[in-house]
Amino acid sequence: MTEKPALNRNQIKYIAITAMIFDHIAMFFMSGDLDKAPLSRVALYSVMRVIGRLTAPVMLFFLVEGFIHTSSRKKYGIRLLIFGLISQIPYSLAHYNSLFRFDLNVIITLFMTFLMLNALEKIGNAYLGGAAAAVIAAATFCCDWGIIGPIMAWLFYYYRDDRKAQLKSFAIVSGVQVASAVGFLAMNGKHWYGELWQAGMFLVIPLLLCYNGEAGKRSAVNKWVFYIFYPLHLLVIWAVKYLA
């Protein structure tokens, strides 16, 4: 008898949140002067960024799960929009020490992706629906995980009844992303291996293979933890980086 996968949605989300902490510590506090840094610091930075590549794809995967299974898409969309707006000031402060920059946070990306999925479902004409979805996806160019995030979500949605196909298509998109990042550095005369930590996205595959399709314990904490933790931890990063 085949053993059932071990991890529920809540457990995977907490793993993703932990990965985000590693990623942001490295990005905000360890990325300066890496060319002159000791090898040990570069290695630690790279490992932490590799781990951090888990977070956004996992959240996109569960966005699709939520879109499919939520009892109220309207409430789900409003929740994403509200927390995306709330998160923008902490995001701008942490990244730029500014109250606003036209560089939008990942919850805005999730909201736009939610709109894209709605367009695919609600517009009766397949060509018009696809065109609308493409326009919405393109509009995320100024967002964290823009363009690539909606593409990943679309594949998760399109292959929603086939986990293996979901992960195979995700692997292809991830491979293209890593190759593009490496190629961009090489063409600009920089060390081609400087973005290899992007390959951490492939860690999503074994993690989601462990997903058993169950939500886990239902509680207010589990429902709201990511929405609250995301802007809160960015405020802490800003305070430590610029005020300490």
Side-chain angles (χ1 to χ4, degrees):
M1 185 176 179
T2 304
E3 187 176 347
K4 189 175 182 180
L7 298 175
N8 60 44
R9 181 183 65 198
N10 289 338
Q11 291 167 329
I12 293 176
K13 279 189 174 182
Y14 281 110
I15 290 171
I17 289 171
T18 303
M20 180 172 64
I21 296 171
F22 279 100
D23 186 54
H24 285 177
I25 289 173
M27 180 173 66
F28 286 107
F29 300 109
M30 299 174 63
S31 60
D33 297 322
L34 282 176
D35 290 338
K36 302 175 183 178
L39 182 59
S40 58
R41 178 183 157 197
V42 175
L44 180 59
Y45 168 85
S46 300
V47 169
M48 293 174 75
R49 297 306 309 267
V50 164
I51 294 170
R53 295 303 88 191
L54 282 171
T55 306
V58 165
M59 293 305 171
L60 289 159
F61 177 84
F62 284 117
L63 171 76
V64 173
E65 290 273 290
F67 177 81
I68 294 169
H69 298 296
T70 185
S71 59
S72 174
R73 287 184 180 173
K74 181 178 179 180
K75 289 181 180 178
Y76 191 28
I78 290 172
R79 184 161 66 242
L80 287 168
L81 176 59
I82 289 173
F83 278 94
L85 295 174
I86 289 172
S87 298
Q88 188 55 40
I89 289 178
Y91 180 85
S92 297
L93 286 171
H95 282 269
Y96 306 108
N97 196 27
S98 171
L99 287 178
F100 183 80
R101 287 289 185 94
F102 197 59
D103 170 18
L104 306 180
N105 68 83
V106 74
I107 300 185
I108 295 293
T109 307
L110 294 176
F111 172 70
M112 297 290 285
T113 303
F114 172 84
L115 295 181
M116 179 193 75
L117 295 175
N118 270 287
L120 288 169
E121 275 206 0
K122 292 186 176 181
I123 298 176
N125 184 286
Y127 295 104
L128 289 177
V135 169
I136 295 170
T140 66
F141 76 95
C142 59
C143 300
D144 193 15
W145 284 82
I147 311 294
I148 190 71
I151 291 173
M152 289 177 177
W154 178 78
L155 292 168
F156 287 143
Y157 175 76
Y158 185 80
Y159 293 111
R160 57 193 177 277
D161 297 320
D162 187 339
R163 182 66 50 77
K164 289 184 178 179
Q166 282 181 322
L167 297 180
K168 284 179 182 177
S169 60
F170 169 79
I172 292 170
V173 173
S174 298
V176 171
Q177 171 75 356
V178 174
S180 300
V182 169
F184 179 81
L185 289 181
M187 287 188 295
N188 285 275
K190 298 182 179 180
H191 297 306
W192 62 269
Y193 48 82
E195 291 276 333
L196 276 181
W197 48 265
Q198 297 274 7
M201 286 186 289
F202 289 102
L203 294 175
V204 172
I205 295 172
L207 183 62
L208 291 181
L209 284 173
C210 293
Y211 176 46
N212 59 20
E214 297 176 1
K217 183 178 179 181
R218 297 186 182 277
S219 70
V221 172
N222 289 331
K223 179 178 180 179
W224 295 102
V225 63
F226 177 75
Y227 294 107
I228 296 172
F229 180 82
Y230 179 73
L232 183 61
H233 96 284
L234 289 173
L235 276 177
V236 172
I237 286 171
W238 170 69
V240 172
K241 187 176 179 181
Y242 294 103
L243 302 181

